[in-house]
mmCIF file of all heavy atoms in Angstrom:
data_model
loop_
_atom_site.group_PDB
_atom_site.id
_atom_site.type_symbol
_atom_site.label_atom_id
_atom_site.label_comp_id
_atom_site.label_asym_id
_atom_site.label_seq_id
_atom_site.Cartn_x
_atom_site.Cartn_y
_atom_site.Cartn_z
ATOM 1 N N ILE B 639 85.524 -6.550 -46.922
ATOM 2 C CA ILE B 639 84.622 -6.025 -45.891
ATOM 3 C C ILE B 639 83.693 -4.973 -46.472
ATOM 4 O O ILE B 639 82.488 -4.967 -46.191
ATOM 5 C CB ILE B 639 85.434 -5.471 -44.700
ATOM 6 C CG1 ILE B 639 85.999 -6.648 -43.905
ATOM 7 C CG2 ILE B 639 84.575 -4.589 -43.808
ATOM 8 C CD1 ILE B 639 86.915 -6.279 -42.787
ATOM 9 N N SER B 640 84.227 -4.092 -47.329
ATOM 10 C CA SER B 640 83.305 -3.084 -47.860
ATOM 11 C C SER B 640 82.258 -3.738 -48.759
ATOM 12 O O SER B 640 81.110 -3.289 -48.799
ATOM 13 C CB SER B 640 84.039 -1.949 -48.570
ATOM 14 O OG SER B 640 85.116 -2.421 -49.309
ATOM 15 N N GLY B 641 82.636 -4.829 -49.443
ATOM 16 C CA GLY B 641 81.636 -5.555 -50.226
ATOM 17 C C GLY B 641 80.554 -6.139 -49.343
ATOM 18 O O GLY B 641 79.357 -6.047 -49.645
ATOM 19 N N LEU B 642 80.971 -6.728 -48.225
ATOM 20 C CA LEU B 642 80.010 -7.306 -47.283
ATOM 21 C C LEU B 642 79.047 -6.234 -46.769
ATOM 22 O O LEU B 642 77.824 -6.428 -46.722
ATOM 23 C CB LEU B 642 80.765 -7.946 -46.109
ATOM 24 C CG LEU B 642 79.920 -8.542 -44.998
ATOM 25 C CD1 LEU B 642 79.210 -9.790 -45.484
ATOM 26 C CD2 LEU B 642 80.770 -8.877 -43.786
ATOM 27 N N LEU B 643 79.606 -5.070 -46.400
ATOM 28 C CA LEU B 643 78.770 -3.988 -45.883
ATOM 29 C C LEU B 643 77.735 -3.567 -46.919
ATOM 30 O O LEU B 643 76.556 -3.383 -46.604
ATOM 31 C CB LEU B 643 79.624 -2.772 -45.508
ATOM 32 C CG LEU B 643 80.659 -2.917 -44.402
ATOM 33 C CD1 LEU B 643 81.273 -1.570 -44.067
ATOM 34 C CD2 LEU B 643 80.062 -3.519 -43.158
ATOM 35 N N MET B 644 78.179 -3.431 -48.172
ATOM 36 C CA MET B 644 77.255 -2.978 -49.215
ATOM 37 C C MET B 644 76.185 -4.024 -49.503
ATOM 38 O O MET B 644 75.023 -3.698 -49.708
ATOM 39 C CB MET B 644 78.024 -2.661 -50.499
ATOM 40 C CG MET B 644 78.844 -1.390 -50.443
ATOM 41 S SD MET B 644 77.845 0.088 -50.161
ATOM 42 C CE MET B 644 78.094 0.361 -48.432
ATOM 43 N N GLN B 645 76.580 -5.303 -49.517
ATOM 44 C CA GLN B 645 75.595 -6.346 -49.812
ATOM 45 C C GLN B 645 74.514 -6.407 -48.740
ATOM 46 O O GLN B 645 73.340 -6.604 -49.033
ATOM 47 C CB GLN B 645 76.292 -7.697 -49.968
ATOM 48 C CG GLN B 645 77.043 -7.775 -51.287
ATOM 49 C CD GLN B 645 77.882 -9.031 -51.426
ATOM 50 O OE1 GLN B 645 77.802 -9.942 -50.615
ATOM 51 N NE2 GLN B 645 78.695 -9.079 -52.461
ATOM 52 N N THR B 646 74.914 -6.215 -47.499
ATOM 53 C CA THR B 646 73.908 -6.235 -46.437
ATOM 54 C C THR B 646 73.083 -4.955 -46.448
ATOM 55 O O THR B 646 71.858 -5.003 -46.323
ATOM 56 C CB THR B 646 74.563 -6.413 -45.063
ATOM 57 O OG1 THR B 646 75.329 -7.606 -45.077
ATOM 58 C CG2 THR B 646 73.519 -6.514 -43.972
ATOM 59 N N LEU B 647 73.756 -3.814 -46.609
ATOM 60 C CA LEU B 647 73.019 -2.550 -46.591
ATOM 61 C C LEU B 647 71.975 -2.516 -47.698
ATOM 62 O O LEU B 647 70.831 -2.132 -47.482
ATOM 63 C CB LEU B 647 73.979 -1.361 -46.739
ATOM 64 C CG LEU B 647 73.305 -0.001 -46.776
ATOM 65 C CD1 LEU B 647 72.649 0.318 -45.449
ATOM 66 C CD2 LEU B 647 74.288 1.096 -47.133
ATOM 67 N N PHE B 648 72.369 -2.953 -48.907
ATOM 68 C CA PHE B 648 71.424 -2.919 -50.013
ATOM 69 C C PHE B 648 70.653 -4.217 -50.147
ATOM 70 O O PHE B 648 69.814 -4.353 -51.029
ATOM 71 C CB PHE B 648 72.160 -2.601 -51.320
ATOM 72 C CG PHE B 648 72.712 -1.209 -51.355
ATOM 73 C CD1 PHE B 648 74.061 -0.981 -51.391
ATOM 74 C CD2 PHE B 648 71.850 -0.132 -51.310
ATOM 75 C CE1 PHE B 648 74.566 0.300 -51.391
ATOM 76 C CE2 PHE B 648 72.350 1.153 -51.319
ATOM 77 C CZ PHE B 648 73.710 1.369 -51.353
ATOM 78 N N ARG B 649 70.932 -5.169 -49.275
ATOM 79 C CA ARG B 649 70.292 -6.474 -49.322
ATOM 80 C C ARG B 649 70.250 -6.984 -50.761
ATOM 81 O O ARG B 649 69.239 -7.449 -51.253
ATOM 82 C CB ARG B 649 68.892 -6.393 -48.723
ATOM 83 C CG ARG B 649 68.966 -6.128 -47.224
ATOM 84 C CD ARG B 649 67.623 -5.912 -46.599
ATOM 85 N NE ARG B 649 66.993 -4.714 -47.114
ATOM 86 C CZ ARG B 649 67.362 -3.490 -46.791
ATOM 87 N NH1 ARG B 649 68.338 -3.285 -45.965
ATOM 88 N NH2 ARG B 649 66.743 -2.462 -47.302
ATOM 89 N N ASN B 650 71.396 -6.834 -51.417
ATOM 90 C CA ASN B 650 71.487 -7.198 -52.821
ATOM 91 C C ASN B 650 72.799 -7.937 -53.044
ATOM 92 O O ASN B 650 73.873 -7.387 -52.810
ATOM 93 C CB ASN B 650 71.433 -5.927 -53.662
ATOM 94 C CG ASN B 650 71.347 -6.222 -55.133
ATOM 95 O OD1 ASN B 650 71.844 -7.239 -55.597
ATOM 96 N ND2 ASN B 650 70.708 -5.340 -55.867
ATOM 97 N N PRO B 651 72.727 -9.192 -53.472
ATOM 98 C CA PRO B 651 73.953 -9.968 -53.637
ATOM 99 C C PRO B 651 74.855 -9.450 -54.754
ATOM 100 O O PRO B 651 76.003 -9.867 -54.859
ATOM 101 C CB PRO B 651 73.449 -11.380 -53.958
ATOM 102 C CG PRO B 651 72.057 -11.196 -54.423
ATOM 103 C CD PRO B 651 71.528 -9.976 -53.752
ATOM 104 N N LEU B 652 74.337 -8.554 -55.598
ATOM 105 C CA LEU B 652 75.163 -8.016 -56.670
ATOM 106 C C LEU B 652 75.942 -6.773 -56.258
ATOM 107 O O LEU B 652 76.760 -6.279 -57.012
ATOM 108 C CB LEU B 652 74.289 -7.668 -57.879
ATOM 109 C CG LEU B 652 73.905 -8.834 -58.767
ATOM 110 C CD1 LEU B 652 72.978 -8.362 -59.860
ATOM 111 C CD2 LEU B 652 75.147 -9.459 -59.370
ATOM 112 N N ALA B 653 75.672 -6.294 -55.053
ATOM 113 C CA ALA B 653 76.342 -5.075 -54.631
ATOM 114 C C ALA B 653 77.800 -5.374 -54.300
ATOM 115 O O ALA B 653 78.138 -6.471 -53.884
ATOM 116 C CB ALA B 653 75.633 -4.476 -53.419
ATOM 117 N N GLY B 654 78.647 -4.400 -54.520
ATOM 118 C CA GLY B 654 80.059 -4.524 -54.183
ATOM 119 C C GLY B 654 80.531 -3.203 -53.633
ATOM 120 O O GLY B 654 79.732 -2.274 -53.490
#
Side-chain angles (χ1 to χ4, degrees):
Chain B
I639 286 175
S640 39
L642 177 70
L643 297 187
M644 287 299 100
Q645 286 173 9
T646 303
L647 178 66
F648 293 115
R649 292 175 295 286
N650 187 330
L652 280 176

